[in-house]
Amino acid sequence: MTWSGSDDVTPTTRIATVINSLLPSERRVVELILADLEGIVETTAQDLADRAGVARSTVIRTCQSLGYRGYPQLRVALTRELAQGEGRERERDYGSGALGSIRADIDALASSLPQIASVLTDESVEKSLELIVGASRLLAIANGLSSPLALDLAMRLTAVGRPTEFVADPIGQQIAARQLSPADTCIVISGSGANESSLRSARAVRAAGARLVVVTSFARSPLVTLADAALVVAPASGSFRHELEHTSRIPHVVLLESLVEVVAARLGDVARQSRSTVLSILSDNLSD
């Protein structure tokens, strides 16, 4: 993977987006890094290799898989990420109560939101917009925790004048995908990029000759290999461990809402007229 704006992409973000594709020996290395970011900064490549039970060359190869020239560059990047985190922690005392915990989580999320787009590229975004705006027929599908996102996306795109179909049932998704034409586009949302139902639908899209746009959290996943354009959303949590434990879809929500606004801008008068119609319908359905 080519990292855009490489200095802005933190080590934990890089790990989060490629960990599923690493070799078992490389994964042992990154798991040790994630478990002790501060300790790794003070650890040599050989020490880390000994702890992971791998060769020193494996540590170097892992660093290169993350986009660094070698281990020293990774240590510098970790130092920078830790310093940024410490600065945020010193900014405010939230207290020990439940409300304090909620405020702390919200502030931590807000401060890390910019990294959501850190691994996106101009090419992938422009290609996605081209396929979405120009499609004769547009289908949005997802499964599991991502399913509500596809429904919301379909409704939002339809509201701005880009009619979008949503199919909830996995079998129905495959049927709808196989009925697409080469002029059509399907958007598949999958955090893991490896959901079997979503993969089957994606393969059905390819079999139909239609175009495929993927929204996922992993740059190297089975779904990405099938895509014409992939939007890889970096985690917005304070740590990769937090992201794994809570499986947040907030980054995807933020990206998709922004994507809809860009689509609306591309549609111009069509979007303005559609939004006027939507507001009229909403007004008619609001009670006094």
Side-chain angles (χ1 to χ4, degrees):
M1 172 176 183
T2 300
W3 302 98
S4 60
S6 58
D7 287 344
D8 297 328
V9 187
T10 64
T12 54
T13 296
R14 296 179 186 222
I15 291 172
T17 57
V18 302
I19 191 171
N20 65 319
S21 65
L22 296 177
L23 297 171
S25 57
E26 296 174 332
R27 185 173 291 218
R28 290 202 297 274
V29 173
V30 298
E31 286 173 348
L32 283 174
I33 294 172
L34 294 171
D36 185 16
L37 298 182
E38 294 184 4
I40 294 302
V41 171
E42 307 298 332
T43 300
T44 67
Q46 187 59 58
D47 289 339
L48 179 56
D50 292 342
R51 289 172 56 186
V54 300
R56 184 178 183 278
S57 59
T58 299
V59 172
I60 306 304
R61 186 176 68 245
T62 302
C63 294
Q64 293 170 346
S65 294
L66 298 177
Y68 301 105
R69 293 198 309 275
Y71 188 65
Q73 289 71 37
L74 171 62
R75 292 174 70 187
V76 170
L78 283 171
T79 301
R80 184 185 302 116
E81 180 174 357
L82 287 168
Q84 292 170 347
E86 290 171 356
R88 289 193 295 266
E89 290 176 0
R90 288 195 298 267
E91 288 176 2
R92 185 173 179 184
D93 180 12
Y94 299 96
S96 59
L99 179 56
S101 296
I102 292 173
R103 286 173 171 164
D105 282 346
I106 291 174
D107 281 2
L109 173 64
S111 65
S112 60
L113 280 177
Q115 76 182 37
I116 287 175
S118 62
V119 297
L120 292 173
T121 65
D122 288 331
E123 180 182 4
S124 64
V125 173
E126 287 299 327
K127 183 64 174 179
S128 298
L129 287 168
E130 174 190 333
L131 295 177
I132 291 170
V133 174
S136 176
R137 179 184 171 195
L138 187 60
L139 174 67
I141 62 176
N143 293 280
L145 291 175
S146 297
S147 185
L149 302 186
L151 171 60
D152 183 71
L153 177 64
M155 293 175 64
R156 288 178 180 274
L157 286 173
T158 299
V160 299
R162 171 58 273 192
T164 306
E165 304 167 42
F166 168 75
V167 179
D169 178 72
I171 300 299
Q173 292 171 1
Q174 295 173 54
I175 294 171
R178 285 299 296 268
Q179 293 175 346
L180 295 175
S181 76
D184 302 330
T185 296
C186 180
I187 305 172
V188 178
I189 306 171
S190 172
S192 68
N195 181 283
E196 186 56 39
S197 294
S198 296
L199 280 170
R200 288 176 180 173
S201 294
R203 294 187 189 106
V205 173
R206 304 309 308 187
R211 312 308 292 273
L212 179 64
V213 175
V214 167
V215 180
T216 184
S217 296
F218 294 98
R220 302 170 186 167
S221 63
L223 203 54
V224 169
T225 63
L226 296 169
D228 292 289
L231 299 175
V232 181
V233 188
S237 60
S239 69
F240 180 57
R241 176 181 176 183
H242 183 279
E243 181 70 14
L244 285 179
E245 291 176 345
H246 297 279
T247 320
S248 173
R249 288 294 179 264
I250 293 175
H252 298 80
V253 171
V254 174
L255 173 73
L256 292 172
E257 288 193 12
S258 297
L259 188 67
V260 169
E261 290 306 310
V262 178
V263 169
R266 298 284 173 96
L267 291 173
D269 288 339
V270 171
R272 285 188 284 274
Q273 293 171 5
S274 182
R275 278 178 161 164
S276 177
T277 299
V278 170
L279 288 173
S280 177
I281 293 172
L282 289 175
S283 178
D284 290 342
N285 283 273
L286 292 175
S287 60
D288 294 330

